[in-house]
Amino acid sequence: MTSTTKPTTYSDAGVDIDAATRATDKIKELARCTFNERTLSEIGSFGGMFDGAFPRLARPVLVASADGVGTKLKIAFATGIHNTVGRDLVNHCVNDILVQGARPLFFLDYIATGKLSPETVTGIVAGIADGCCENGCVLLGGETAEMPGFYADGEYDVAGFIVGVVDRENVIDGKRITAGDVLLALPSVGLHTNGYSLARKLFLEVAGYDVNTKLDSVEATVGEALLQPHLSYLRPLEGLLDSGTIKGLAHITGGGLTDNIPRILPAGAAVQIDKGSWPVLPIFTLMQQIGNVPESEMYRTFNMGVGMVIVCAAADVSAIKSELSENCYEIGRVKKGNREVSIA
């Protein structure tokens, strides 16, 4: 039987292979800017190859992590700004392995969307490449998936996967933390990549603002304030990683101070944080006022102006402060207890 049906192609199903090819060609250019002498493959191979020899390390330990940007992406969609969330993604992942003393080696990304826009994907990857360059990390590979009908028009998701290395004797695991140790805080510049579901509800629903509404108290629009970058703390801390003075590091992400610090505490240790010992950013004060958000909810949802916490012996505070390339604040102490954080 002869069919009279028009031939059906992948394009008819919503997948534009030509657009994917154009995006991939640009991605290759961006990725090459991050390559170093350890990079053994080109973007486009089925797998990325990286030289795994570490002659300068006695007992190298690989540290890996994966994460996303969460609903901060909704602000990127609303503003049409797509070249910052990729950098956020890299910095978040770098911080996650940094807390164990690891320096990043290479990064892979995953970008999924309903209809592929080469310009949007290029913007995302440009941010990823910028983040990799800033952190001395190779963009080794990734995946761009076009999935019609799976995502709303103009929307996408991104995820990142990072591998770093640390000498076993320099692993930072919190096991040496003890009562009397001091907590130092490195400041954030905004929400980083956490608490955006609540932040969007407060600004866009409760207050009735849109991304272009000017917020006088933070001297920025809603969109600008919520797209503030997620900082990497690799450069400020790099000179201290092998010193032995850092007993523990906590990246303050989802869960805030109250849920992230206990992740590094040994049995029998707790933390007392002194409220008011660091500057809480105006955006957090504004959000709390807009929604009458309980203080406990604020500290458990947002970083409240603290991006990374250092735990060290009291005797090492001065040495650490002098080594850091930015300001830090003494925000509390370790006491005896059951892996809990109190803020008063």
Side-chain angles (χ1 to χ4, degrees):
M1 183 170 58
T2 302
S3 173
T4 59
T5 304
K6 176 187 173 184
T8 304
T9 66
Y10 212 179
S11 179
D12 294 322
V15 177
D16 188 341
I17 296 176
D18 292 333
T21 300
R22 292 196 301 273
T24 300
D25 289 343
K26 185 60 179 178
I27 288 169
K28 288 179 180 179
E29 294 178 27
L30 293 167
R32 284 194 192 102
C33 296
T34 73
F35 288 1
N36 59 29
E37 66 279 0
R38 289 179 171 271
T39 313
L40 305 180
S41 59
E42 287 284 340
I43 294 291
S45 303
F46 284 97
M49 295 191 294
F50 191 87
D51 185 350
F54 304 101
R56 296 181 182 179
L57 302 183
R59 302 172 71 191
V61 175
L62 296 179
V63 184
S65 186
D67 219 310
V69 184
T71 60
K72 187 172 188 175
L73 293 178
K74 287 284 191 179
I75 307 302
F77 306 155
T79 59
I81 298 173
H82 305 288
N83 63 351
T84 62
V85 290
R87 181 171 175 246
D88 291 332
L89 180 64
V90 174
N91 287 346
H92 187 134
C93 289
V94 166
N95 289 339
D96 279 350
I97 63 170
L98 178 63
V99 299
Q100 290 167 298
R103 295 174 173 87
L105 296 172
F106 58 84
F107 188 87
L108 299 98
D109 62 51
Y110 174 78
I111 304 171
T113 186
K115 182 172 178 58
L116 192 147
S117 163
E119 294 77 16
T120 298
V121 171
T122 297
I124 298 166
V125 178
I128 292 172
D130 286 344
C132 285
C133 289
E134 292 168 11
N135 288 285
C137 184
V138 172
L139 177 53
L140 194 60
E143 168 70 357
T144 302
E146 188 173 17
M147 301 191 291
F150 201 84
Y151 293 92
D153 289 346
E155 298 196 352
Y156 54 81
D157 196 11
V158 296
F161 311 87
I162 196 167
V163 174
V165 67
V166 58
D167 210 333
R168 184 170 292 190
E169 69 176 15
N170 293 325
V171 169
I172 300 171
D173 56 16
K175 291 180 179 178
R176 296 186 294 125
I177 294 174
T178 187
D181 286 343
V182 174
L183 273 69
L184 301 176
L186 295 178
S188 69
V189 294
L191 280 67
H192 283 186
T193 51
N194 305 103
Y196 276 80
S197 294
L198 178 55
R200 288 187 302 110
K201 183 176 183 64
L202 292 171
F203 283 122
L204 307 181
E205 295 182 28
V206 178
Y209 299 156
D210 62 32
V211 293
N212 298 311
T213 301
K214 182 68 181 293
L215 304 173
D216 292 336
S217 61
V218 298
E219 299 181 340
T221 65
V222 171
E224 291 167 344
L226 293 182
L227 285 179
Q228 286 295 304
H230 191 136
L231 298 181
S232 165
Y233 296 98
L234 173 62
R235 296 307 179 210
L237 290 171
E238 191 165 25
L240 292 163
L241 294 180
D242 303 329
S243 67
T245 56
I246 296 179
K247 293 188 177 185
L249 289 169
H251 183 199
I252 308 305
T253 60
L257 291 162
T258 57
D259 285 12
N260 282 291
I261 294 174
R263 297 167 65 178
I264 65 168
L265 296 178
V271 162
Q272 172 67 50
I273 291 179
D274 301 322
K275 191 166 55 178
S277 56
W278 74 94
V280 173
L281 298 176
I283 191 169
F284 298 118
T285 303
L286 178 59
M287 287 191 294
Q288 186 173 14
Q289 292 171 347
I290 287 173
N292 192 28
V293 183
E295 189 172 68
S296 59
E297 186 76 4
M298 293 293 297
Y299 279 98
R300 194 177 184 187
T301 305
F302 302 112
N303 66 59
M304 300 300 284
V306 175
M308 183 73 77
V309 168
I310 305 167
V311 183
C312 65
D316 291 325
V317 169
S318 294
I320 289 175
K321 284 184 174 181
S322 65
E323 181 67 29
L324 289 171
S325 59
E326 62 180 65
N327 290 332
C328 72
Y329 304 92
E330 189 170 328
I331 65 168
R333 288 188 174 265
V334 179
K335 60 181 182 180
K336 292 182 179 180
N338 186 28
R339 289 177 173 159
E340 57 192 7
V341 175
S342 54
I343 302 174

